[in-house]
């Protein structure tokens, strides 16, 4: 389970969870910006165990910490980065028709391009990680060991703070 998480392979990790629930981690977003953030999140996941497995009422458990991309830090910095890049575009434009449309609104393609660039900058320069303590619980059913996720583990895997 930890190996799959550390490799960013959430599909395999999901198959090791008891009941093999569909966590919705296999799909690719049609919105390119969402796909970029999701790939950054997948690449940021790491699970480190601390201590040894211990007996629990229903099986085994092991404490650890899971580190992931902090979505809140990305969303916090994104507007600021986007605005700064738009301001740069305005300042360096020789012809404002490249910036504004006939209704004096930012051109959609400029906004989309600026958003993608700002997102890349935030992910490479400003994004933080979030580390949470988790307990990975294991239960043996039908001859196999399964991870039984608690709320903290599910929140960490979904990026929910």
């Amino acid at each position: 389970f930890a190996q799959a998480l550390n490799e960013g392979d959430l599909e395999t990790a999901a198959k090791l969870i008891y009941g093999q629930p569909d966590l919705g981690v296999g799909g690719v977003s049609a919105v390119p910006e969402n796909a970029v953030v999701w790939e950054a999140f997948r690449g940021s996941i790491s699970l480190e165990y601390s201590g040894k497995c211990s007996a629990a009422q229903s099986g085994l458990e092991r404490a650890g910490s899971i580190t992931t991309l902090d979505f809140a830090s990305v969303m916090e910095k994104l507007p600021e980065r986007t605005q700064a890049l738009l301001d740069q575009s305005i300042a360096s434009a020789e012809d404002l028709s490249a910036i504004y449309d006939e209704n004096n609104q930012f051109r959609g393609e400029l906004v989309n391009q600026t958003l993608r660039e700002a997102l890349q900058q935030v992910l490479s320069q400003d994004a933080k990680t979030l580390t949470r303590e988790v307990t990975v619980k294991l239960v043996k059913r039908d001859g196999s060991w399964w991870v039984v996720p608690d709320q903290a583990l599910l929140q960490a895997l979904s990026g929910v703070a």
Side-chain angles (χ1 to χ4, degrees), residues 10-159:
L10 295 179
E11 291 86 0
T12 297
K15 291 177 183 174
L16 299 171
I17 294 175
Y18 186 68
Q20 298 182 335
D22 179 6
L23 300 176
V25 297
V28 176
S29 175
V31 179
E33 293 79 14
N34 292 350
V36 168
V37 173
W38 182 243
E39 285 307 310
F41 177 77
R42 289 168 65 116
S44 73
I45 296 174
S46 68
L47 172 62
E48 291 186 28
Y49 289 117
S50 55
K52 298 183 184 247
C53 281
S54 59
Q57 187 174 2
S58 61
L60 298 173
E61 60 183 39
R62 190 168 186 189
S65 59
I66 190 164
T67 301
T68 62
L69 174 69
D70 181 3
F71 281 125
S73 73
V74 172
M75 294 298 107
E76 180 181 305
K77 281 293 198 175
L78 189 57
E80 177 185 322
R81 283 277 184 172
T82 304
Q83 187 62 55
L85 289 171
L86 283 172
D87 292 345
Q88 285 177 351
S89 295
I90 294 168
S92 65
E94 293 179 16
D95 179 10
L96 290 180
S97 67
I99 305 294
Y100 300 107
D101 64 16
E102 61 279 354
N103 297 319
N104 214 21
Q105 301 291 320
F106 283 117
R107 294 197 171 280
E109 60 273 10
L110 172 68
V111 172
N112 291 337
Q113 176 187 351
T114 303
L115 181 59
R116 283 190 295 274
E117 188 176 336
L119 184 56
Q120 288 294 341
Q121 285 183 10
V122 169
L123 289 172
S124 66
Q125 299 171 22
D126 301 317
K128 298 175 183 166
T129 57
L130 181 61
T131 301
R132 299 173 229 197
E133 299 304 313
V134 295
T135 300
V136 178
K137 298 175 184 175
L138 302 168
V139 63
K140 191 166 190 175
R141 296 282 188 268
D142 302 323
S144 297
W145 284 98
W146 297 92
V147 173
V148 180
D150 61 6
Q151 193 66 25
L153 184 58
L154 289 174
Q155 286 178 332
L157 294 178
S158 68

